[in-house]
Amino acid sequence: MIVSKLEGLIAAPFTPMDENGVLNLSLIPKYYNFLKSNRVTGAFICGSTGEGVSMTTEEKKKVAAQWAECTDDDDDFKVMMLLGGTSIADCKDLALYASQIGLYAISFTSPFYFKPANAEVLGQICEEIASVVPEMPFYYYHIPVLTGGNYAMIDLLHAVDGKIPNFAGIKYTHEDFMDFQSCMSFKDGKYDMLWGRDENMLSALVLGAKGAVGSTFNYAAPLYYDLIDAFNANDLVKARELQQKSIDMIRLLGKYGGISVGKAYMKLINLNCGEFRLPVKNMNETQSVLFKKDVEALGFDHFKSVG
């Protein structure tokens, strides 16, 4: 399989839910159009940001079906679905479903309860899942901070190369730039390496990254496209300033509770995706007021995504 490398910003969408934690699928068409209007080139659905691990298999199918319907006639917008990382049987089932409804690609992350012994075993799991949909690009999702699967990705590439024809590349959400560069260089750049740490994008651009997947692209895509433009124009002073603005924005996630704060940012751009399900903690009312003041001090209105 010859896989085209993805470029630009690929958002990791939040899964819209109502105040009771029930899926709000009716928001997804508006969500898709909003991303398109901000030059986002794809969506990585049911991932960490999308609370895939907190959803049932049937719920993930419903979310995937809605995204597939929205993007059916849009070949320029690529939808990739994270299958999961515990039950291999469920992952195969979801992979087949993703193929049936016409999604572009699938992704898989390391099992995080019973963990693979090494990168070779991880590669065997990838091969077993990818083989059920040989026509679809398969991406491994490397996020060891959540999975505990701290394998060198260059070892994974050595383990799968030549064994998985539809292995397209890696969504790399980690800070090991030595490993990332080794993967970028592997066999003259054979595999698609998608950067997954928004706060370190500038460093990844220096190493040659062309595509990135991130949660903050949902609500601040213009900031990152300005950063990319500054880098391409060799205006590194401006690029560093924009990266620092990204860091300042992302620090508020840590200040107010973590990943759930992303949905609070979404409310500020008039896309109410509800709140996160347990066990993730959401902000209380007092924190919400303080958060809005901090966001205003950032000058969020000057670089936020707009519909």
Side-chain angles (χ1 to χ4, degrees), residues 98-111:
S99 176
Q100 291 167 7
I101 63 176
L103 296 188
Y104 172 72
I106 54 171
S107 184
F108 167 76
T109 195
S110 173

Side-chain angles (χ1 to χ4, degrees), residues 47-63:
S48 306
T49 303
E51 299 179 77
V53 295
S54 298
M55 290 193 290
T56 67
T57 296
E58 287 307 310
E59 285 178 320
K60 286 190 272 192
K61 286 182 177 180
K62 289 177 181 178
V63 170

Side-chain angles (χ1 to χ4, degrees), residues 198-203 205-206 223-247:
D198 307 359
E199 63 270 37
N200 301 133
M201 175 182 278
L202 180 55
S203 299
L205 292 175
V206 171
L223 171 65
Y224 294 97
Y225 274 124
D226 285 348
L227 190 162
I228 293 169
D229 289 344
F231 173 77
N232 289 336
N234 203 31
D235 188 347
L236 297 184
V237 172
K238 182 178 180 180
R240 288 194 297 267
E241 290 174 351
L242 292 168
Q243 183 68 85
Q244 187 59 55
K245 183 66 71 173
S246 159
I247 291 170

Side-chain angles (χ1 to χ4, degrees), residues 6-63:
L6 303 180
E7 296 188 1
L9 304 181
I10 300 165
F14 300 90
T15 297
M17 299 179 186
D18 66 17
E19 63 275 9
N20 297 312
V22 177
L23 297 182
N24 180 15
L25 301 176
S26 64
L27 186 64
I28 291 178
K30 179 181 179 182
Y31 202 154
Y32 156 66
N33 287 317
F34 181 83
L35 293 177
K36 284 285 291 185
S37 70
N38 285 277
R39 299 165 55 202
V40 171
T41 61
F44 184 89
I45 63 172
C46 300
S48 306
T49 303
E51 299 179 77
V53 295
S54 298
M55 290 193 290
T56 67
T57 296
E58 287 307 310
E59 285 178 320
K60 286 190 272 192
K61 286 182 177 180
K62 289 177 181 178
V63 170

